[in-house]
Amino acid sequence: VYEYGASQLLFADADINLSGIGCTTFNTVNENKEHLFGRNFDYTDGFVMLLWTHPDNGYTSVSTVDLDLISQGGEPDNYFSSLYTLYAPFACVDGMNEKGLCIAVLELETDATYQSTDNPDLTTTTIIRAVLDRAANVEEAIKIFESYDMHDDLDVKCAYHYHVTDANGDSIVIEYVNGEINLIDPQDNVNYQVVANYYLTKGIKDTNGFGQERVATATNALMKANGILSKDQAMDVLQSVGVDKQNWFGYECSTLWSVVYNTNDLTYDVCYKLDYNTVYTFSLLNPEEYTVRTNK
């Protein structure tokens, strides 16, 4: 089904153009020993969808989709643009499933990854769908990545890495180096990992990588808190590394959403377009119910 989804995106010219995104992710733990995953998605202004899926032969999950990443996307205000939302399950850029597995993709300013082995092929975002549907933990997510060939969009001319965490607090960053998968664990003696838009693999010359200052800000906050943050404090960290109309490689980017996933109780807090005074709280187990909290 994932190979079919990837082929349909290409067939329908629903081009998932992720060029120009600049994001930040981190994992941490709260005072109740629940594991959190924070994510900022920074990109050009667009419309956002929170997507809940419950496949017959997979895990229920929630994911986030920037509809402008799909050609002819944007606000589904007419019949033709609404049709493109049917591709949304294969265009998610972060999410969490019922097992507490979280994943997010972040851009790297280097040549696209295009593997060619006997494995079936998947694209940048369809592999996120495969992981959310089928992986219960980091180890299983890694096996899924290893079982497919990655085919990034060659027209975009950039690559990506993936931050994956789970309900046990395990964390890994998955990068492609010279066509091979490389796994980056958290640094020794810390229970968190912070990721932005540059390679973490040692020895890689990444002259176009960026986001080091965001990583430094988030890491400093985590260090001061000994790696223990409440969900509100985690959102504060995301606010501190949020961006407003930054020019990156010809794109004017702002933080479209900030989300803090709780991988144990399966709730998630969302702030939209830098409005950190308004926090939406959802539950994976009750997708139709949510609360809104204002901090004004």
Side-chain angles (χ1 to χ4, degrees):
V1 65
Y2 309 110
E3 299 98 299
Y4 175 79
S7 67
Q8 289 302 296
L9 287 173
L10 296 173
F11 176 77
D13 193 31
D15 185 25
I16 308 302
N17 183 349
L18 290 170
S19 180
I21 63 173
C23 305
T24 309
T25 61
F26 66 88
N27 65 295
T28 185
V29 64
N30 67 15
E31 60 277 10
N32 297 321
K33 298 183 178 180
E34 296 171 324
H35 300 287
L36 308 179
F37 183 64
R39 193 290 210 271
N40 275 356
F41 184 84
D42 309 324
Y43 195 50
T44 56
D45 192 25
F47 297 95
V48 179
M49 172 188 288
L50 291 178
L51 178 69
W52 186 76
T53 58
H54 50 104
D56 292 335
N57 298 311
Y59 298 127
T60 299
S61 69
V62 62
S63 55
T64 319
V65 182
D66 178 0
L67 293 177
D68 280 9
L69 296 181
I70 305 174
S71 293
Q72 303 179 32
E75 186 177 14
D77 56 355
N78 60 63
Y79 175 76
F80 292 104
S81 62
S82 295
L83 285 178
Y84 277 86
T85 64
L86 297 176
Y87 298 108
F90 300 101
C92 50
V93 292
D94 61 64
M96 175 179 67
N97 69 19
E98 65 181 276
K99 295 297 183 179
L101 186 285
C102 287
I103 183 172
V105 62
L106 303 91
E107 183 179 327
L108 297 168
E109 296 301 322
T110 187
D111 293 336
T113 299
Y114 200 87
Q115 295 176 298
S116 182
T117 72
D118 293 332
N119 290 332
D121 304 327
L122 283 190
T123 58
T124 310
T125 57
T126 51
I127 200 163
I128 294 179
R129 171 52 47 205
V131 168
L132 289 174
D133 286 356
R134 293 164 42 193
N137 52 49
V138 165
E139 182 179 355
E140 292 182 5
I142 292 170
K143 290 180 179 178
I144 290 173
F145 272 88
E146 292 174 339
S147 66
Y148 288 100
D149 278 355
M150 176 58 63
H151 284 196
D152 292 331
D153 188 341
L154 292 176
D155 293 332
V156 173
K157 298 181 180 179
C158 59
Y160 308 90
H161 57 180
Y162 300 79
H163 191 179
V164 186
T165 69
D166 63 28
N168 299 316
D170 291 334
S171 176
I172 200 77
V173 175
I174 300 173
E175 296 183 345
Y176 292 87
V177 179
N178 298 322
E180 300 292 333
I181 288 178
N182 194 39
L183 306 176
I184 300 95
D185 293 306
Q187 295 182 359
D188 294 337
N189 302 318
V190 299
N191 63 344
Y192 53 83
Q193 196 166 19
V194 187
V195 187
N197 306 102
Y198 58 90
Y199 276 97
L200 297 179
T201 299
K202 293 182 179 179
I204 296 296
K205 187 178 181 180
D206 189 4
T207 57
N208 290 324
F210 66 107
Q212 289 87 346
E213 73 287 348
R214 287 180 274 123
V215 168
T217 298
T219 300
N220 185 56
L222 286 159
M223 288 177 60
K224 288 183 176 179
N226 294 317
I228 301 174
L229 299 177
S230 69
K231 64 178 183 178
D232 289 340
Q233 291 170 328
M235 187 64 78
D236 288 343
V237 173
L238 292 176
Q239 181 177 4
S240 72
V241 296
V243 299
D244 187 14
K245 297 181 180 179
Q246 294 287 318
N247 191 304
W248 288 331
F249 304 97
Y251 296 86
E252 184 179 85
C253 296
S254 297
T255 300
L256 281 187
W257 68 82
S258 300
V259 57
V260 177
Y261 296 101
N262 184 317
T263 69
N264 296 110
D265 73 7
L266 302 181
T267 61
Y268 50 105
D269 286 2
V270 181
C271 292
Y272 181 56
K273 291 188 177 180
L274 297 170
D275 182 7
Y276 294 98
N277 288 319
T278 306
V279 182
Y280 299 86
T281 300
F282 300 87
S283 172
L284 177 62
L285 302 178
N286 298 289
E288 295 181 356
E289 299 179 5
Y290 67 92
T291 62
V292 183
R293 183 176 75 255
T294 57
N295 298 325
K296 294 180 181 179

